[in-house]
Amino acid sequence: MPAHPTIGLVGSQGAYGRWLRRFFEARMGLRVLGRDPAGDTALGERELIEAADVLVFAAPIRHTPALIRRYAELAAGAERGKLWLDVTSTKAEPVAAMLASQAEVAGLHPMSAAPKAPTLRGRVMVVCEARLAAWRPWLESFLAATEAACVRAEPAQHDRVMALVQGMVHAAHMAQGAVLRELAPAVGGLAGIRPFRSVGYELDEAVTRRILASNPAIYQDIQFENPYVAPMLERLAAHIERLRDLVRQGDDAARAAMREELLAQSGDFVGARALAEGSYAFERLGYLLADLSEPRYLSVFLPQDQPGSLRALLSVFEQRGINLDSIHSSRSADGELHFRIGLDRAVDAAALAAATRAIEEEGIGRVVARSDAAAS
């Protein structure tokens, strides 16, 4: 096993293929080769197999098992002593296909879309160890470098869990999107609903919009390529239909049945402690949404990502007697780390203007957005 293996990416032009290339090159200092029908065809398939010490399959879910089988046939033993990985959202079929090769094998599933951040910190990575020996130390060093929270699982266990974690969640929000499309126009559309929003609606709306804005092929394949999704959908539909029938019935007996079947029994299953933790987490998200809707704010990018940068930014406000209501960090669409600063509504406009100028003139950061109230 080489100390600095060459990485091969099958699906190098996809979202995760591009992220993995940046990660392996910038974070681990490794040479990366790729192949993708969308413009990365300088290397043939056999050439990539021979050149790569670690071959990573990052192709669309529905095509991955057949693609792996093709590479195993083409390799014809050239993969012996190497490591093959995949990063798809199903595991049983891809892992089985890789095991038909003579490479060492592990299946990976990063539990998020390809991030803007340089690592997977704060995200989960499911790891299905299938056939590991000499490559185990390197794989562990790679996983450590991603900074993901790693969870070990068997491939079939992973797919059964994903039917609930991904399949059920996506299905419910796709159905919500369809209901909104049909019923929201009668009450003024989404714009007419939004002033009436609750925390629960706002969180659900964010997830629904995320799904609708993303690559539909991913959500399609998660539903269609996991054999455990169809039985889950049967149960989901049955419980929705049961609720519908009880609401149609409408009497006290129906109300009691709903409380018992859909609330009390499920609550008992979840457990008192988990219910309390979930309720508190929901409240925290509500406070976060309230902060993010604060009408007076600045959003600042700090170009110097080093200790003391945030302290220098905060000192600008402190020196001018400006109280801050909140401060939150997030990544922009381009991956920049922005600090959104909620401001006291009684802040002096002249002091705020002076602080805004100082942030940029002193080279502390760049104001990338501000509310109308903060600009006045």
Side-chain angles (χ1 to χ4, degrees), residues 246-260:
L246 290 172
V247 171
R248 282 177 174 172
Q249 183 179 329
D251 57 16
D252 288 344
R255 291 167 187 262
M258 190 209 77
R259 291 195 303 271
E260 176 62 21

Side-chain angles (χ1 to χ4, degrees), residues 315-327:
S315 70
V316 170
F317 299 100
E318 182 182 2
Q319 291 166 10
R320 290 160 181 81
I322 298 174
N323 288 327
L324 307 183
D325 276 351
S326 63
I327 181 167

Side-chain angles (χ1 to χ4, degrees), residues 235-319:
R235 300 313 310 143
L236 182 63
H239 288 297
I240 292 292
E241 290 174 358
R242 174 60 172 160
L243 175 60
R244 178 203 61 195
D245 292 344
L246 290 172
V247 171
R248 282 177 174 172
Q249 183 179 329
D251 57 16
D252 288 344
R255 291 167 187 262
M258 190 209 77
R259 291 195 303 271
E260 176 62 21
E261 297 173 20
L262 298 177
L263 293 175
Q265 291 181 17
S266 297
D268 290 342
F269 169 75
V270 172
R273 181 173 178 178
L275 289 175
E277 291 173 347
S279 181
Y280 177 58
F282 185 86
E283 289 181 7
R284 292 175 64 195
L285 290 169
Y287 293 136
L288 173 61
L289 290 173
D291 284 348
L292 295 180
S293 63
E294 168 60 47
R296 181 165 290 194
Y297 72 91
L298 293 177
S299 187
V300 180
F301 166 60
L302 299 183
Q304 301 299 323
D305 187 9
Q306 59 188 20
S309 296
L310 182 57
R311 186 185 308 116
L313 173 63
L314 296 179
S315 70
V316 170
F317 299 100
E318 182 182 2
Q319 291 166 10

Side-chain angles (χ1 to χ4, degrees), residues 111-264:
M111 294 300 299
S112 77
K116 304 297 182 184
T119 72
L120 295 172
R121 180 185 299 179
R123 296 168 172 84
V124 169
M125 173 90 83
V126 183
V127 181
C128 297
E129 300 179 5
R131 184 167 61 213
L132 288 174
W135 281 97
R136 183 182 295 277
W138 183 88
L139 179 63
E140 292 300 332
S141 68
F142 160 60
L143 295 174
T146 68
E147 300 184 332
C150 293
V151 177
R152 263 67 179 186
E154 294 298 318
Q157 176 196 11
H158 165 277
D159 290 357
R160 290 175 69 94
V161 172
M162 286 308 110
L164 301 174
V165 170
Q166 289 187 314
M168 182 173 68
V169 171
H170 297 169
H173 284 89
M174 286 189 287
Q176 287 183 28
V179 171
L180 286 169
R181 184 188 73 233
E182 294 171 356
L183 301 185
V187 291
L190 296 180
I193 293 173
R194 186 159 182 76
F196 300 86
R197 66 190 181 277
S198 66
V199 173
Y201 173 81
E202 195 163 6
L203 292 172
D204 264 12
E205 182 191 37
V207 176
T208 300
R209 289 188 181 192
R210 169 74 170 183
I211 291 172
L212 297 179
S214 300
N215 181 356
I218 294 173
Y219 297 98
Q220 164 197 293
D221 285 357
I222 286 172
Q223 297 292 323
F224 283 77
E225 301 302 318
N226 185 337
Y228 299 101
V229 164
M232 175 280 298
L233 290 174
E234 292 287 350
R235 300 313 310 143
L236 182 63
H239 288 297
I240 292 292
E241 290 174 358
R242 174 60 172 160
L243 175 60
R244 178 203 61 195
D245 292 344
L246 290 172
V247 171
R248 282 177 174 172
Q249 183 179 329
D251 57 16
D252 288 344
R255 291 167 187 262
M258 190 209 77
R259 291 195 303 271
E260 176 62 21
E261 297 173 20
L262 298 177
L263 293 175

